[in-house]
PDB file of all heavy atoms in Angstrom:
ATOM      1  N   ILE V   3       0.796  -1.261  -0.051  1.00 94.00           N
ATOM      2  CA  ILE V   3      -0.009  -0.028  -0.020  1.00 94.00           C
ATOM      3  C   ILE V   3       0.923   1.229   0.018  1.00 94.00           C
ATOM      4  O   ILE V   3       0.630   2.201  -0.751  1.00 94.00           O
ATOM      5  CB  ILE V   3      -0.920   0.011   1.238  1.00 94.00           C
ATOM      6  CG1 ILE V   3      -1.936  -1.085   1.112  1.00 94.00           C
ATOM      7  CG2 ILE V   3      -1.657   1.374   1.318  1.00 94.00           C
ATOM      8  CD1 ILE V   3      -2.851  -1.103  -0.075  1.00 94.00           C
ATOM      9  N   CYS V   4       1.880   1.278   0.831  1.00 95.00           N
ATOM     10  CA  CYS V   4       2.771   2.492   0.887  1.00 95.00           C
ATOM     11  C   CYS V   4       3.545   2.686  -0.415  1.00 95.00           C
ATOM     12  O   CYS V   4       3.744   3.877  -0.774  1.00 95.00           O
ATOM     13  CB  CYS V   4       3.720   2.330   2.055  1.00 95.00           C
ATOM     14  SG  CYS V   4       2.884   2.580   3.688  1.00 95.00           S
ATOM     15  N   GLU V   5       3.921   1.570  -1.032  1.00 94.00           N
ATOM     16  CA  GLU V   5       4.537   1.724  -2.386  1.00 94.00           C
ATOM     17  C   GLU V   5       3.594   2.299  -3.378  1.00 94.00           C
ATOM     18  O   GLU V   5       3.984   3.212  -4.127  1.00 94.00           O
ATOM     19  CB  GLU V   5       5.045   0.389  -2.867  1.00 94.00           C
ATOM     20  CG  GLU V   5       5.696   0.457  -4.206  1.00 94.00           C
ATOM     21  CD  GLU V   5       5.921  -0.891  -4.854  1.00 94.00           C
ATOM     22  OE1 GLU V   5       5.628  -1.950  -4.279  1.00 94.00           O
ATOM     23  OE2 GLU V   5       6.380  -0.951  -6.028  1.00 94.00           O
ATOM     24  N   GLU V   6       2.335   1.934  -3.307  1.00 94.00           N
ATOM     25  CA  GLU V   6       1.361   2.336  -4.317  1.00 94.00           C
ATOM     26  C   GLU V   6       1.050   3.879  -4.117  1.00 94.00           C
ATOM     27  O   GLU V   6       0.811   4.565  -5.065  1.00 94.00           O
ATOM     28  CB  GLU V   6       0.074   1.635  -4.140  1.00 94.00           C
ATOM     29  CG  GLU V   6       0.164   0.230  -4.685  1.00 94.00           C
ATOM     30  CD  GLU V   6      -1.122  -0.668  -4.412  1.00 94.00           C
ATOM     31  OE1 GLU V   6      -1.972  -0.174  -3.666  1.00 94.00           O
ATOM     32  OE2 GLU V   6      -1.166  -1.774  -4.889  1.00 94.00           O
ATOM     33  N   LYS V   7       1.177   4.312  -2.864  1.00 93.00           N
ATOM     34  CA  LYS V   7       0.969   5.684  -2.549  1.00 93.00           C
ATOM     35  C   LYS V   7       2.270   6.477  -2.579  1.00 93.00           C
ATOM     36  O   LYS V   7       2.307   7.694  -2.232  1.00 93.00           O
ATOM     37  CB  LYS V   7       0.411   5.834  -1.120  1.00 93.00           C
ATOM     38  CG  LYS V   7      -0.986   5.140  -0.985  1.00 93.00           C
ATOM     39  CD  LYS V   7      -2.037   5.723  -1.907  1.00 93.00           C
ATOM     40  CE  LYS V   7      -3.367   4.981  -1.695  1.00 93.00           C
ATOM     41  NZ  LYS V   7      -4.373   5.521  -2.649  1.00 93.00           N
ATOM     42  N   HIS V   8       3.340   5.931  -3.128  1.00 94.00           N
ATOM     43  CA  HIS V   8       4.742   6.498  -3.323  1.00 94.00           C
ATOM     44  C   HIS V   8       5.327   6.942  -1.968  1.00 94.00           C
ATOM     45  O   HIS V   8       6.198   7.912  -1.994  1.00 94.00           O
ATOM     46  CB  HIS V   8       4.524   7.685  -4.263  1.00 94.00           C
ATOM     47  CG  HIS V   8       3.856   7.444  -5.626  1.00 94.00           C
ATOM     48  ND1 HIS V   8       4.505   6.633  -6.477  1.00 94.00           N
ATOM     49  CD2 HIS V   8       2.647   7.786  -6.095  1.00 94.00           C
ATOM     50  CE1 HIS V   8       3.719   6.492  -7.548  1.00 94.00           C
ATOM     51  NE2 HIS V   8       2.585   7.189  -7.316  1.00 94.00           N
ATOM     52  N   ALA V   9       4.771   6.399  -0.891  1.00 94.00           N
ATOM     53  CA  ALA V   9       5.465   6.690   0.383  1.00 94.00           C
ATOM     54  C   ALA V   9       6.519   5.648   0.773  1.00 94.00           C
ATOM     55  O   ALA V   9       7.377   5.997   1.583  1.00 94.00           O
ATOM     56  CB  ALA V   9       4.312   6.718   1.542  1.00 94.00           C
ATOM     57  N   GLY V  10       6.395   4.475   0.171  1.00 95.00           N
ATOM     58  CA  GLY V  10       7.365   3.401   0.563  1.00 95.00           C
ATOM     59  C   GLY V  10       8.126   3.022  -0.637  1.00 95.00           C
ATOM     60  O   GLY V  10       8.162   3.680  -1.779  1.00 95.00           O
ATOM     61  N   VAL V  11       8.933   1.927  -0.446  1.00 96.00           N
ATOM     62  CA  VAL V  11       9.942   1.519  -1.409  1.00 96.00           C
ATOM     63  C   VAL V  11       9.386   0.234  -2.229  1.00 96.00           C
ATOM     64  O   VAL V  11       8.934  -0.673  -1.501  1.00 96.00           O
ATOM     65  CB  VAL V  11      11.314   1.203  -0.795  1.00 96.00           C
ATOM     66  CG1 VAL V  11      12.219   0.598  -1.768  1.00 96.00           C
ATOM     67  CG2 VAL V  11      11.883   2.452  -0.181  1.00 96.00           C
ATOM     68  N   GLY V  12       9.564   0.216  -3.521  1.00 95.00           N
ATOM     69  CA  GLY V  12       9.240  -1.066  -4.250  1.00 95.00           C
ATOM     70  C   GLY V  12      10.413  -1.927  -4.055  1.00 95.00           C
ATOM     71  O   GLY V  12      11.532  -1.725  -4.471  1.00 95.00           O
ATOM     72  N   LEU V  13      10.267  -3.102  -3.334  1.00 96.00           N
ATOM     73  CA  LEU V  13      11.307  -4.061  -3.015  1.00 96.00           C
ATOM     74  C   LEU V  13      11.837  -4.667  -4.291  1.00 96.00           C
ATOM     75  O   LEU V  13      13.080  -4.988  -4.271  1.00 96.00           O
ATOM     76  CB  LEU V  13      10.768  -5.092  -2.085  1.00 96.00           C
ATOM     77  CG  LEU V  13      10.257  -4.555  -0.684  1.00 96.00           C
ATOM     78  CD1 LEU V  13       9.766  -5.661   0.141  1.00 96.00           C
ATOM     79  CD2 LEU V  13      11.273  -3.761  -0.011  1.00 96.00           C
ATOM     80  N   ASN V  14      11.137  -4.894  -5.327  1.00 94.00           N
ATOM     81  CA  ASN V  14      11.693  -5.316  -6.566  1.00 94.00           C
ATOM     82  C   ASN V  14      12.667  -4.363  -7.226  1.00 94.00           C
ATOM     83  O   ASN V  14      13.508  -4.817  -7.912  1.00 94.00           O
ATOM     84  CB  ASN V  14      10.536  -5.791  -7.594  1.00 94.00           C
ATOM     85  CG  ASN V  14       9.890  -6.978  -7.218  1.00 94.00           C
ATOM     86  OD1 ASN V  14      10.420  -7.873  -6.591  1.00 94.00           O
ATOM     87  ND2 ASN V  14       8.599  -7.084  -7.531  1.00 94.00           N
ATOM     88  N   GLU V  15      12.566  -3.129  -6.821  1.00 93.00           N
ATOM     89  CA  GLU V  15      13.435  -2.106  -7.423  1.00 93.00           C
ATOM     90  C   GLU V  15      14.889  -2.205  -6.838  1.00 93.00           C
ATOM     91  O   GLU V  15      15.793  -1.796  -7.457  1.00 93.00           O
ATOM     92  CB  GLU V  15      12.897  -0.760  -7.202  1.00 93.00           C
ATOM     93  CG  GLU V  15      11.585  -0.392  -7.850  1.00 93.00           C
ATOM     94  CD  GLU V  15      10.994   1.012  -7.424  1.00 93.00           C
ATOM     95  OE1 GLU V  15      11.868   1.808  -7.036  1.00 93.00           O
ATOM     96  OE2 GLU V  15       9.796   1.209  -7.586  1.00 93.00           O
ATOM     97  N   ILE V  16      14.895  -2.768  -5.680  1.00 97.00           N
ATOM     98  CA  ILE V  16      16.309  -2.764  -5.000  1.00 97.00           C
ATOM     99  C   ILE V  16      16.860  -4.217  -4.969  1.00 97.00           C
ATOM    100  O   ILE V  16      17.983  -4.338  -4.633  1.00 97.00           O
ATOM    101  CB  ILE V  16      16.230  -2.220  -3.559  1.00 97.00           C
ATOM    102  CG1 ILE V  16      15.412  -3.103  -2.660  1.00 97.00           C
ATOM    103  CG2 ILE V  16      15.733  -0.794  -3.633  1.00 97.00           C
ATOM    104  CD1 ILE V  16      15.354  -2.650  -1.224  1.00 97.00           C
ATOM    105  N   LYS V  17      16.054  -5.229  -5.319  1.00 95.00           N
ATOM    106  CA  LYS V  17      16.565  -6.607  -5.151  1.00 95.00           C
ATOM    107  C   LYS V  17      17.692  -6.890  -6.067  1.00 95.00           C
ATOM    108  O   LYS V  17      18.716  -7.474  -5.595  1.00 95.00           O
ATOM    109  CB  LYS V  17      15.418  -7.536  -5.525  1.00 95.00           C
ATOM    110  CG  LYS V  17      15.766  -9.039  -5.283  1.00 95.00           C
ATOM    111  CD  LYS V  17      14.545  -9.940  -5.569  1.00 95.00           C
ATOM    112  CE  LYS V  17      14.775 -11.362  -5.267  1.00 95.00           C
ATOM    113  NZ  LYS V  17      13.627 -12.259  -5.504  1.00 95.00           N
ATOM    114  N   ASP V  18      17.654  -6.518  -7.286  1.00 94.00           N
ATOM    115  CA  ASP V  18      18.812  -6.853  -8.176  1.00 94.00           C
ATOM    116  C   ASP V  18      20.081  -6.163  -7.772  1.00 94.00           C
ATOM    117  O   ASP V  18      21.175  -6.648  -7.840  1.00 94.00           O
ATOM    118  CB  ASP V  18      18.428  -6.350  -9.640  1.00 94.00           C
ATOM    119  CG  ASP V  18      17.419  -7.266 -10.374  1.00 94.00           C
ATOM    120  OD1 ASP V  18      17.252  -8.353  -9.852  1.00 94.00           O
ATOM    121  OD2 ASP V  18      16.796  -6.823 -11.330  1.00 94.00           O
ATOM    122  N   ALA V  19      19.920  -4.893  -7.272  1.00 96.00           N
ATOM    123  CA  ALA V  19      21.149  -4.187  -6.758  1.00 96.00           C
ATOM    124  C   ALA V  19      21.679  -4.871  -5.534  1.00 96.00           C
ATOM    125  O   ALA V  19      22.904  -5.028  -5.393  1.00 96.00           O
ATOM    126  CB  ALA V  19      20.739  -2.726  -6.408  1.00 96.00           C
ATOM    127  N   TRP V  20      20.828  -5.361  -4.698  1.00 96.00           N
ATOM    128  CA  TRP V  20      21.289  -6.109  -3.473  1.00 96.00           C
ATOM    129  C   TRP V  20      21.988  -7.400  -3.838  1.00 96.00           C
ATOM    130  O   TRP V  20      23.145  -7.696  -3.370  1.00 96.00           O
ATOM    131  CB  TRP V  20      20.113  -6.380  -2.585  1.00 96.00           C
ATOM    132  CG  TRP V  20      20.488  -7.176  -1.246  1.00 96.00           C
ATOM    133  CD1 TRP V  20      20.838  -6.497  -0.143  1.00 96.00           C
ATOM    134  CD2 TRP V  20      20.452  -8.552  -1.118  1.00 96.00           C
ATOM    135  NE1 TRP V  20      21.066  -7.505   0.824  1.00 96.00           N
ATOM    136  CE2 TRP V  20      20.857  -8.760   0.230  1.00 96.00           C
ATOM    137  CE3 TRP V  20      20.180  -9.650  -1.893  1.00 96.00           C
ATOM    138  CZ2 TRP V  20      21.022 -10.046   0.827  1.00 96.00           C
ATOM    139  CZ3 TRP V  20      20.331 -10.910  -1.356  1.00 96.00           C
ATOM    140  CH2 TRP V  20      20.696 -11.118   0.002  1.00 96.00           C
ATOM    141  N   LEU V  21      21.411  -8.127  -4.764  1.00 94.00           N
ATOM    142  CA  LEU V  21      21.995  -9.404  -5.328  1.00 94.00           C
ATOM    143  C   LEU V  21      23.337  -9.162  -5.934  1.00 94.00           C
ATOM    144  O   LEU V  21      24.352  -9.850  -5.732  1.00 94.00           O
ATOM    145  CB  LEU V  21      21.014 -10.057  -6.175  1.00 94.00           C
ATOM    146  CG  LEU V  21      19.828 -10.771  -5.680  1.00 94.00           C
ATOM    147  CD1 LEU V  21      18.875 -11.212  -6.748  1.00 94.00           C
ATOM    148  CD2 LEU V  21      20.171 -12.028  -4.774  1.00 94.00           C
ATOM    149  N   GLY V  22      23.427  -8.028  -6.708  1.00 94.00           N
ATOM    150  CA  GLY V  22      24.677  -7.696  -7.313  1.00 94.00           C
ATOM    151  C   GLY V  22      25.821  -7.407  -6.362  1.00 94.00           C
ATOM    152  O   GLY V  22      26.922  -7.896  -6.463  1.00 94.00           O
ATOM    153  N   LYS V  23      25.477  -6.625  -5.274  1.00 96.00           N
ATOM    154  CA  LYS V  23      26.343  -6.305  -4.319  1.00 96.00           C
ATOM    155  C   LYS V  23      26.914  -7.488  -3.551  1.00 96.00           C
ATOM    156  O   LYS V  23      28.054  -7.651  -3.252  1.00 96.00           O
ATOM    157  CB  LYS V  23      25.850  -5.277  -3.336  1.00 96.00           C
ATOM    158  CG  LYS V  23      26.875  -4.746  -2.198  1.00 96.00           C
ATOM    159  CD  LYS V  23      27.938  -4.008  -2.894  1.00 96.00           C
ATOM    160  CE  LYS V  23      28.854  -3.427  -1.797  1.00 96.00           C
ATOM    161  NZ  LYS V  23      30.061  -2.596  -2.457  1.00 96.00           N
ATOM    162  N   VAL V  24      25.938  -8.394  -3.170  1.00 95.00           N
ATOM    163  CA  VAL V  24      26.246  -9.505  -2.452  1.00 95.00           C
ATOM    164  C   VAL V  24      27.149 -10.519  -3.317  1.00 95.00           C
ATOM    165  O   VAL V  24      28.180 -10.942  -2.801  1.00 95.00           O
ATOM    166  CB  VAL V  24      24.989 -10.301  -2.073  1.00 95.00           C
ATOM    167  CG1 VAL V  24      25.285 -11.732  -1.560  1.00 95.00           C
ATOM    168  CG2 VAL V  24      24.231  -9.587  -0.936  1.00 95.00           C
ATOM    169  N   ALA V  25      26.866 -10.621  -4.562  1.00 93.00           N
ATOM    170  CA  ALA V  25      27.665 -11.489  -5.453  1.00 93.00           C
ATOM    171  C   ALA V  25      29.064 -10.884  -5.610  1.00 93.00           C
ATOM    172  O   ALA V  25      30.027 -11.741  -5.538  1.00 93.00           O
ATOM    173  CB  ALA V  25      26.971 -11.539  -6.807  1.00 93.00           C
ATOM    174  N   GLU V  26      29.185  -9.581  -5.650  1.00 95.00           N
ATOM    175  CA  GLU V  26      30.524  -8.955  -5.765  1.00 95.00           C
ATOM    176  C   GLU V  26      31.368  -9.212  -4.573  1.00 95.00           C
ATOM    177  O   GLU V  26      32.487  -9.621  -4.787  1.00 95.00           O
ATOM    178  CB  GLU V  26      30.342  -7.402  -5.967  1.00 95.00           C
ATOM    179  CG  GLU V  26      31.648  -6.619  -5.911  1.00 95.00           C
ATOM    180  CD  GLU V  26      31.387  -5.206  -5.564  1.00 95.00           C
ATOM    181  OE1 GLU V  26      30.292  -4.622  -5.832  1.00 95.00           O
ATOM    182  OE2 GLU V  26      32.366  -4.551  -4.955  1.00 95.00           O
ATOM    183  N   VAL V  27      30.778  -8.981  -3.385  1.00 96.00           N
ATOM    184  CA  VAL V  27      31.592  -9.169  -2.179  1.00 96.00           C
ATOM    185  C   VAL V  27      31.916 -10.639  -1.926  1.00 96.00           C
ATOM    186  O   VAL V  27      33.040 -11.089  -1.458  1.00 96.00           O
ATOM    187  CB  VAL V  27      30.796  -8.556  -0.916  1.00 96.00           C
ATOM    188  CG1 VAL V  27      31.514  -8.905   0.436  1.00 96.00           C
ATOM    189  CG2 VAL V  27      30.694  -7.093  -1.069  1.00 96.00           C
ATOM    190  N   LEU V  28      30.987 -11.542  -2.151  1.00 95.00           N
ATOM    191  CA  LEU V  28      31.247 -12.980  -1.999  1.00 95.00           C
ATOM    192  C   LEU V  28      32.329 -13.423  -2.892  1.00 95.00           C
ATOM    193  O   LEU V  28      33.122 -14.301  -2.523  1.00 95.00           O
ATOM    194  CB  LEU V  28      29.967 -13.774  -2.191  1.00 95.00           C
ATOM    195  CG  LEU V  28      28.807 -13.584  -1.060  1.00 95.00           C
ATOM    196  CD1 LEU V  28      27.711 -14.545  -1.304  1.00 95.00           C
ATOM    197  CD2 LEU V  28      29.310 -13.818   0.330  1.00 95.00           C
ATOM    198  N   ASP V  29      32.347 -12.888  -4.074  1.00 94.00           N
ATOM    199  CA  ASP V  29      33.342 -13.315  -4.987  1.00 94.00           C
ATOM    200  C   ASP V  29      34.790 -12.828  -4.544  1.00 94.00           C
ATOM    201  O   ASP V  29      35.695 -13.671  -4.626  1.00 94.00           O
ATOM    202  CB  ASP V  29      33.056 -12.648  -6.454  1.00 94.00           C
ATOM    203  CG  ASP V  29      34.070 -13.105  -7.481  1.00 94.00           C
ATOM    204  OD1 ASP V  29      34.165 -14.383  -7.770  1.00 94.00           O
ATOM    205  OD2 ASP V  29      34.786 -12.190  -8.023  1.00 94.00           O
ATOM    206  N   ARG V  30      34.744 -11.596  -4.075  1.00 95.00           N
ATOM    207  CA  ARG V  30      36.080 -11.081  -3.463  1.00 95.00           C
ATOM    208  C   ARG V  30      36.548 -11.908  -2.313  1.00 95.00           C
ATOM    209  O   ARG V  30      37.749 -12.004  -2.106  1.00 95.00           O
ATOM    210  CB  ARG V  30      35.957  -9.607  -3.164  1.00 95.00           C
ATOM    211  CG  ARG V  30      35.817  -8.673  -4.281  1.00 95.00           C
ATOM    212  CD  ARG V  30      35.344  -7.264  -3.751  1.00 95.00           C
ATOM    213  NE  ARG V  30      36.303  -6.806  -2.780  1.00 95.00           N
ATOM    214  CZ  ARG V  30      35.895  -5.940  -1.843  1.00 95.00           C
ATOM    215  NH1 ARG V  30      34.638  -5.437  -1.836  1.00 95.00           N
ATOM    216  NH2 ARG V  30      36.665  -5.518  -0.837  1.00 95.00           N
ATOM    217  N   ALA V  31      35.516 -12.402  -1.571  1.00 95.00           N
ATOM    218  CA  ALA V  31      35.906 -13.244  -0.435  1.00 95.00           C
ATOM    219  C   ALA V  31      36.110 -14.667  -0.735  1.00 95.00           C
ATOM    220  O   ALA V  31      36.344 -15.451   0.258  1.00 95.00           O
ATOM    221  CB  ALA V  31      34.674 -13.100   0.616  1.00 95.00           C
ATOM    222  N   THR V  32      36.207 -15.026  -1.990  1.00 92.00           N
ATOM    223  CA  THR V  32      36.351 -16.330  -2.452  1.00 92.00           C
ATOM    224  C   THR V  32      35.379 -17.287  -1.796  1.00 92.00           C
ATOM    225  O   THR V  32      35.582 -18.456  -1.499  1.00 92.00           O
ATOM    226  CB  THR V  32      37.744 -16.884  -2.144  1.00 92.00           C
ATOM    227  OG1 THR V  32      37.974 -16.990  -0.748  1.00 92.00           O
ATOM    228  CG2 THR V  32      38.801 -15.944  -2.695  1.00 92.00           C
ATOM    229  N   LEU V  33      34.059 -16.899  -1.622  1.00 91.00           N
ATOM    230  CA  LEU V  33      33.037 -17.694  -1.152  1.00 91.00           C
ATOM    231  C   LEU V  33      32.099 -18.112  -2.172  1.00 91.00           C
ATOM    232  O   LEU V  33      31.961 -17.469  -3.207  1.00 91.00           O
ATOM    233  CB  LEU V  33      32.293 -16.874  -0.140  1.00 91.00           C
ATOM    234  CG  LEU V  33      33.019 -16.435   1.178  1.00 91.00           C
ATOM    235  CD1 LEU V  33      32.095 -15.575   2.036  1.00 91.00           C
ATOM    236  CD2 LEU V  33      33.377 -17.628   1.931  1.00 91.00           C
ATOM    237  N   SER V  34      31.538 -19.315  -2.136  1.00 78.00           N
ATOM    238  CA  SER V  34      30.656 -19.808  -3.032  1.00 78.00           C
ATOM    239  C   SER V  34      29.458 -19.059  -3.205  1.00 78.00           C
ATOM    240  O   SER V  34      28.828 -18.656  -2.165  1.00 78.00           O
ATOM    241  CB  SER V  34      30.304 -21.285  -2.634  1.00 78.00           C
ATOM    242  OG  SER V  34      29.236 -21.726  -3.487  1.00 78.00           O
ATOM    243  N   ASN V  35      29.047 -18.725  -4.446  1.00 71.00           N
ATOM    244  CA  ASN V  35      27.814 -17.952  -4.671  1.00 71.00           C
ATOM    245  C   ASN V  35      26.854 -18.803  -5.406  1.00 71.00           C
ATOM    246  O   ASN V  35      26.055 -18.294  -6.223  1.00 71.00           O
ATOM    247  CB  ASN V  35      28.114 -16.696  -5.429  1.00 71.00           C
ATOM    248  CG  ASN V  35      26.963 -15.641  -5.362  1.00 71.00           C
ATOM    249  OD1 ASN V  35      26.101 -15.674  -4.483  1.00 71.00           O
ATOM    250  ND2 ASN V  35      26.816 -14.900  -6.450  1.00 71.00           N
ATOM    251  N   SER V  36      26.847 -20.093  -5.118  1.00 66.00           N
ATOM    252  CA  SER V  36      26.040 -20.988  -5.823  1.00 66.00           C
ATOM    253  C   SER V  36      24.665 -21.258  -5.237  1.00 66.00           C
ATOM    254  O   SER V  36      23.895 -22.144  -5.632  1.00 66.00           O
ATOM    255  CB  SER V  36      26.713 -22.410  -5.951  1.00 66.00           C
ATOM    256  OG  SER V  36      27.059 -22.969  -4.711  1.00 66.00           O
ATOM    257  N   LEU V  37      24.411 -20.547  -4.101  1.00 66.00           N
ATOM    258  CA  LEU V  37      23.191 -20.704  -3.393  1.00 66.00           C
ATOM    259  C   LEU V  37      22.028 -20.219  -4.260  1.00 66.00           C
ATOM    260  O   LEU V  37      22.092 -19.082  -4.905  1.00 66.00           O
ATOM    261  CB  LEU V  37      23.098 -19.936  -2.100  1.00 66.00           C
ATOM    262  CG  LEU V  37      24.122 -20.305  -1.045  1.00 66.00           C
ATOM    263  CD1 LEU V  37      24.224 -19.354   0.055  1.00 66.00           C
ATOM    264  CD2 LEU V  37      23.651 -21.688  -0.411  1.00 66.00           C
TER     265      LEU V  37
END
């Protein structure tokens, strides 16, 4: 509801950015990103 009223955040809008950041750091840490 808050997203529809432009008061909140669309979670799908930030999901890809979050996944990208996580993948970048896990790769630098030599950790498996196969989850």
Side-chain angles (χ1 to χ4, degrees):
I3 296 298
C4 287
E5 177 192 356
E6 290 175 351
K7 299 300 182 180
H8 307 291
V11 174
L13 299 180
N14 282 332
E15 296 177 21
I16 65 173
K17 185 175 183 178
D18 288 342
W20 182 87
L21 286 170
K23 182 64 175 180
V24 167
E26 171 203 332
V27 172
L28 293 184
D29 183 62
R30 287 170 51 206
T32 67
L33 296 174
S34 171
N35 194 28
S36 61
L37 295 168

